[in-house]
Amino acid sequence: MLTYAKPLAAVAGCLALATTLTACGGSTAAADEKVVTVYSADGLKGEAGDGWYDKVFKDFEKQTGIKVKYVEGGSGEMVQRAAREKSNTQADVLVTLPPFIQQADSKGLLQAYTPQGADQVAGGDKAADGKWISVVNNFFGFVHNKKELTTPPTTWEELLDPKYKNKLQYSTPGVAGDGTAVLIKAMHDFGGKEPAMEYLKKLQANNVGPSSSTSKLAPKVDKGEILVANGDVQMNFAQSASMPNLAIWFPAKQGGKPTTFALPYAAGLVNKAPHAENGKKLLDFLLSEQAQREVSSVGGGFSVRKDVKATDTNAIELAKLMNGVEVFEPDWKDIDANLTSYVDAWKSATGS
């Protein structure tokens, strides 16, 4: 661990300003704390303390003595928070969905670190310069209430039916990762920005309204408050264990196949992290074989390690769920470069 010698006057200044934790940021005392702060997109922590994060963080603390401080929100929300704190960094590890992990990198919020086990992660699931790496593979999807909808929807067009008025909601593009994914999938399925926005303008008649967090929508679907919402496979599969009315589906354009795309949880070490060494240890742990074997069995997701072949009940069910669904690969460079314009087009189309 790096330590820095300070002139006596500087040390005295730190002591005098002890009530202000950040007065002498980066102090040895702060670096030596047995703590690591994680800013993360929602979905990996269980509603009842039974999620992948719950298990992995508990095991990590037991093994290392390092306590995990956890802050959760939408993908864009977490990046925005880290950006606001750039001159007074609070987070050590940032976990978010594409394209927000790329956005965090472009804002200078991440520093390079190659965790142990990174060699077992495919090239497309990590940055070439080591700024970020996927820790849980995942796919975009929707949920519906299978109790209320005896004939579930299969296409985008069906969601325009008046029976879904105020019974449909999706999280906010540009704020939530899964909400941004609605734009990405719509642009793919409808063949471009203009036809996608034309559709989403029509869909707005049925939309309840904005939501900064996608994880808040599944409980509303399960209770029947709404009938359809966006989500992702990992989060919704995990939620379905305690929400029996949830069913995952993948909208198709009328006459086409159901589609989805990979939406992994990607992690990076925060630039100027106050507890960088602890952050590195946590990233190593998240990619360890032990933690990765529990991605499906505990978290309901897909391991990122090529050498981990899950055979648990959840893994089998997840494979069945994905059967027959066409997986496409978004142009993340284009999305990163044009995300603001896409979100602005959505706001204009929907009056949001």
Side-chain angles (χ1 to χ4, degrees):
M1 181 180 298
L2 295 175
T3 57
Y4 298 90
K6 293 179 181 285
L8 184 59
V11 174
C14 279
L15 294 173
L17 295 170
T19 55
T20 306
L21 295 178
T22 57
C24 293
S27 69
T28 303
D32 285 342
E33 279 186 285
K34 300 288 279 185
V35 66
V36 59
T37 299
V38 177
Y39 283 7
S40 178
D42 48 9
L44 292 175
K45 200 171 192 302
E47 295 284 334
D50 55 356
W52 186 66
Y53 271 163
D54 300 287
K55 176 69 163 62
V56 172
F57 290 168
K58 183 179 179 181
D59 291 345
F60 176 72
E61 184 174 351
K62 184 177 179 181
Q63 180 173 309
T64 65
I66 298 169
K67 182 176 178 58
V68 178
K69 289 186 178 180
Y70 180 70
V71 179
E72 178 182 281
S75 289
E77 182 185 359
M78 290 296 91
V79 173
Q80 290 164 13
R81 178 166 175 167
R84 288 195 302 269
E85 297 170 350
K86 198 171 180 180
S87 62
N88 179 24
T89 308
Q90 302 295 307
D92 301 301
V93 173
L94 178 67
V95 184
T96 187
L97 307 179
F100 295 100
I101 195 68
Q102 291 90 344
Q103 186 184 84
D105 187 15
S106 67
K107 290 178 179 290
L109 300 178
L110 306 175
Q111 60 175 298
Y113 176 65
T114 302
Q116 296 173 22
D119 59 319
Q120 292 296 330
V121 177
D125 290 328
K126 58 189 177 184
D129 61 0
K131 294 288 184 66
W132 58 265
I133 188 165
S134 299
V135 292
V136 172
N137 267 337
N138 193 16
F139 295 91
F140 177 66
F142 272 63
V143 289
H144 67 78
N145 182 302
K146 61 184 179 183
K147 181 181 178 182
E148 299 290 335
L149 294 174
T150 52
T151 303
T154 59
T155 68
W156 286 106
E157 288 80 1
E158 288 175 76
L159 299 181
L160 299 177
D161 192 299
K163 74 177 182 181
Y164 291 109
K165 186 172 180 63
N166 295 324
K167 290 291 184 179
L168 175 149
Q169 190 173 15
Y170 61 90
S171 51
T172 308
V175 176
D178 288 326
T180 305
V182 172
L183 292 188
I184 295 170
K185 180 169 156 57
M187 287 192 292
H188 172 270
D189 289 0
F190 286 96
K193 182 176 77 171
E194 296 306 322
M197 299 308 158
E198 184 179 337
Y199 168 79
L200 292 170
K201 181 178 181 179
K202 295 176 183 176
L203 186 66
Q204 193 65 11
N206 290 343
N207 187 19
V208 170
S211 174
S212 63
S213 174
T214 314
S215 67
K216 296 176 182 177
L217 302 183
K220 295 169 71 174
V221 174
D222 182 62
K223 294 172 186 174
E225 294 175 17
I226 57 176
L227 298 177
V228 173
N230 68 313
D232 61 69
V233 173
Q234 177 279 323
M235 178 174 64
N236 295 143
F237 187 87
Q239 288 173 319
S240 67
S242 59
M243 300 179 193
N245 297 320
L246 279 190
I248 299 170
W249 66 293
F250 305 92
K253 188 175 184 297
Q254 197 165 34
K257 293 181 179 180
T259 68
T260 188
F261 61 96
L263 202 60
Y265 292 89
L269 185 66
V270 176
N271 193 25
K272 298 180 182 177
H275 313 101
E277 293 305 312
N278 296 345
K280 292 176 182 179
K281 289 176 183 177
L282 180 60
L283 288 171
D284 290 346
F285 197 84
L286 294 177
L287 278 177
S288 67
E289 285 192 54
Q290 172 193 338
Q292 287 294 308
R293 290 190 187 283
E294 294 171 335
V295 166
S296 57
S297 62
V298 176
F302 305 80
S303 172
V304 296
R305 287 185 63 128
K306 295 178 287 186
D307 58 344
V308 172
K309 307 297 181 185
T311 58
D312 57 89
T313 303
N314 283 354
I316 294 169
E317 288 299 313
L318 288 164
K320 288 180 182 178
L321 181 66
M322 299 299 298
N323 189 35
V325 181
E326 181 182 285
V327 179
F328 66 91
E329 185 174 345
D331 184 345
W332 291 116
K333 286 185 178 180
D334 169 76
I335 293 163
D336 183 36
N338 298 295
L339 179 60
T340 300
S341 66
Y342 293 151
V343 173
D344 286 346
W346 170 80
K347 287 178 180 178
S348 177
T350 61
S352 298

